[in-house]
Amino acid sequence: AATVVYACGIRIDVINDYVLPNFLSAILTIGWIVGITNAINLIDGLDGLSSGITLISCISLLIMSWINLPEQKQAKKELP
């Protein structure tokens, strides 16, 4: 499933203004997706704990992305 996500264009391409080569981008993207999926599965343990943690994590990422949105738009304008 992680390779399908990568093939659809959702990738980790840039880290701190350093553009990653394609092979490193693929390894990092697929590794990140598989790692997060396994971490959530380990947390679950049949008590529903993972749903609360996942909700808190998603809300936190949403807030951080809203805060950084102007910087992201500016960075996209500067890319060739």
Side-chain angles (χ1 to χ4, degrees):
T3 55
V4 173
V5 171
Y6 182 81
C8 288
I10 300 173
R11 303 174 180 164
I12 300 172
D13 286 335
V14 179
I15 297 178
N16 292 335
D17 297 331
Y18 176 74
V19 178
L20 298 173
N22 286 336
F23 74 93
L24 191 57
S25 174
I27 291 170
L28 196 60
T29 303
I30 293 169
W32 184 264
I33 293 171
V34 170
I36 293 297
T37 303
N38 286 330
I40 295 297
N41 284 336
L42 287 172
I43 290 171
D44 192 21
L46 298 176
D47 60 358
L49 180 64
S50 66
S51 61
I53 291 174
T54 304
L55 178 66
I56 292 168
S57 174
C58 287
I59 290 171
S60 301
L61 288 172
L62 178 67
I63 291 169
M64 288 189 307
S65 67
W66 277 342
I67 291 170
N68 292 324
L69 188 62
E71 294 174 11
Q72 293 171 0
K73 286 183 179 179
Q74 183 64 30
K76 283 189 176 186
K77 288 180 184 177
E78 294 174 358
L79 288 176

